[in-house]
């Protein structure tokens, strides 16, 4: 049996103030955040819907059963650097708070668990990971049926196992991995265990149809719009003397246009553009100026989109 430290990356527990901070720091995607927290809460604890139904309709509607029958699987799909991992690692906090869970644990399937392509390896590892999560829940509910322990299993960079089995070049071992994954998720649903699986992928188009069909929701992540870029820059530069007009101009320059084929990602803004701006000003011991902002925006080279080749 593979040890837990090999199966999983950094295990996190919620509620947790630093996860709350990370969740709040994601800007411009409030619609995704809201929907994700609602979806995830209902998938982890379908009882909240039954309570809602009883309150407003006097009984459990058949429509509620339809919601409950869905597979507790959520897919976050989209371009690089658009917040999928950050959201997947922090959303446990608002879920735990909204469901008032004493403990929600995140198990991120580690890269090692992908296996090295040996026959049966990936299948075994996936099965072991799900078994570990299942046993770690212990008595998931108390005598009144309230959840005591819930879990999120995160499969980040899921492309390798979630990709379509239809692809001719797909290796036999990968196909077995997809099957194991589907079986494991289905069995969690059958046993009504409070476990949600979140899968992140860059390639929603290549997602295996069997996985796409089961997913309760596929959230699509895109690069920020001009308005969302304004949002990120404004939040980063509040406290400087830079005007709203200059921020809007910089946000416009950071979009796709004559100068560049594609616009910046959220991570381009947060991890490259803003830090460069700060470090340049620090290096010259000056404030961050509008001039520096506009100049940096005009010359910035965004990360190329997943699957696109530089020309
Ligand atoms: N909506 C956002 N608001 C603010 N910052 C963001 C947002 N989305 C992403 N970021 C920043 O970009 C960084 C990278 O995001 P993340 O790792 O979640 O991207 P990803 O979608 O998982 O990309 P990849 O597909 O390459 O794994 C985050 O740590 C964060 O700093
Ligand atoms: Mg990621």
């Amino acid at each position: 049996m593979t040890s837990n430290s090999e199966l999983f990356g950094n295990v996190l527990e919620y509620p947790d103030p630093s996860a709350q901070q990370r969740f709040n720091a994601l800007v411009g995607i409030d619609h995704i955040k809201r929907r994700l927290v609602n979806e995830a809460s209902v998938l982890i604890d379908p009882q909240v819907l039954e309570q809602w139904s009883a309150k407003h309709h006097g009984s459990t509607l058949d429509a509620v059963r339809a919601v409950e029958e869905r597979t507790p699987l959520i897919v976050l799909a989209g371009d690089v650097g658009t917040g999928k991992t950050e959201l997947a690692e922090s959303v446990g906090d608002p879920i735990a708070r909204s469901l008032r869970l004493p403990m929600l644990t995140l198990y991120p399937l580690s890269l090692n668990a992908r296996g090295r392509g040996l026959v049966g390896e990936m299948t075994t590892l996936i099965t072991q990971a799900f078994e570990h999560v299942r046993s770690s829940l212990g008595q998931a509910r108390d005598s009144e049926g309230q959840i005591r322990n819930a879990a999120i299993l995160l499969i980040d960079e899921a492309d390798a196992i979630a990709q379509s089995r239809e692809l001719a070049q797909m290796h036999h071992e990968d196909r077995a991995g997809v099957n194991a994954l589907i079986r494991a998720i289905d069995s969690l649903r059958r046993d009504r265990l409070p476990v949600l699986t979140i899968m992140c992928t860059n390639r929603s188009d290549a997602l295996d149809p069997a996985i796409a069909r089961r997913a309760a929701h596929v959230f699509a992540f895109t690069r920020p719009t001009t308005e969302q870029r304004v949002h990120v820059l404004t939040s980063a530069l509040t406290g400087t003397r830079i005007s709203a007009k200059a921020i809007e101009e910089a946000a416009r320059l950071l979009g796709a246009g004559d100068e560049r084929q594609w616009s910046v990602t959220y991570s381009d803004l947060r991890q490259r553009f803003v830090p460069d701006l700060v470090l340049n000003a620090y290096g010259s011991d000056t404030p961050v100026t509008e001039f520096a902002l506009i100049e940096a925006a005009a010359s910035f080279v965004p990360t190329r989109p997943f699957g696109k080749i530089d020309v």
Side-chain angles (χ1 to χ4, degrees), residues 25-27 80-86 157 202 266-267 270-271:
L26 292 168
V27 298
V80 297
T82 49
K84 301 182 296 296
T85 301
E86 194 66 10
E157 319 277 348
N202 289 125
Y266 280 105
S267 60
R270 285 295 296 186
Q271 297 185 335

Side-chain angles (χ1 to χ4, degrees), residues 20 33 73 99 113 122 153 157 210 237:
Q20 186 177 36
K33 286 180 172 181
L73 167 67
L99 291 175
M122 182 134 78
L153 180 69
E157 319 277 348
L237 298 173

Side-chain angles (χ1 to χ4, degrees), residues 297-309:
S299 61
F300 189 80
V301 180
T303 309
R304 73 179 155 78
F306 188 83
K308 291 241 167 54
I309 300 163

Side-chain angles (χ1 to χ4, degrees), residues 40-62:
S41 302
V42 167
L43 288 167
I44 289 177
D45 191 7
Q47 273 184 16
V48 293
L49 264 191
E50 288 168 19
Q51 284 155 6
W52 162 86
S53 185
K55 178 175 166 196
H56 294 284
H57 300 283
S59 64
T60 303
L61 302 177
D62 184 55

Side-chain angles (χ1 to χ4, degrees), residues 221-256:
F221 286 67
T222 53
R223 294 185 177 218
T225 59
T226 313
E227 207 186 354
Q228 288 164 330
R229 292 194 294 273
V230 167
H231 204 129
V232 174
L233 291 179
T234 307
S235 104
L237 298 173
T238 299
T240 65
R241 286 171 181 270
I242 292 171
S243 68
K245 196 155 162 286
I247 286 184
E248 274 166 32
E249 174 61 6
R252 190 188 64 75
L253 285 167
L254 289 162

Side-chain angles (χ1 to χ4, degrees), residues 181-233:
L181 185 65
I182 291 172
R183 268 200 312 276
I185 297 176
D186 274 348
S187 82
L188 291 175
R189 181 179 65 91
R190 260 198 323 274
D191 299 342
R192 296 176 60 106
L193 288 175
V195 180
L196 171 70
T197 303
I198 299 182
M199 209 179 242
C200 300
T201 175
N202 289 125
R203 323 210 24 202
S204 63
D205 53 334
L207 211 58
D208 192 285
I211 288 179
R213 175 176 78 71
R214 279 171 174 78
H217 200 99
V218 177
F219 288 89
F221 286 67
T222 53
R223 294 185 177 218
T225 59
T226 313
E227 207 186 354
Q228 288 164 330
R229 292 194 294 273
V230 167
H231 204 129
V232 174
L233 291 179

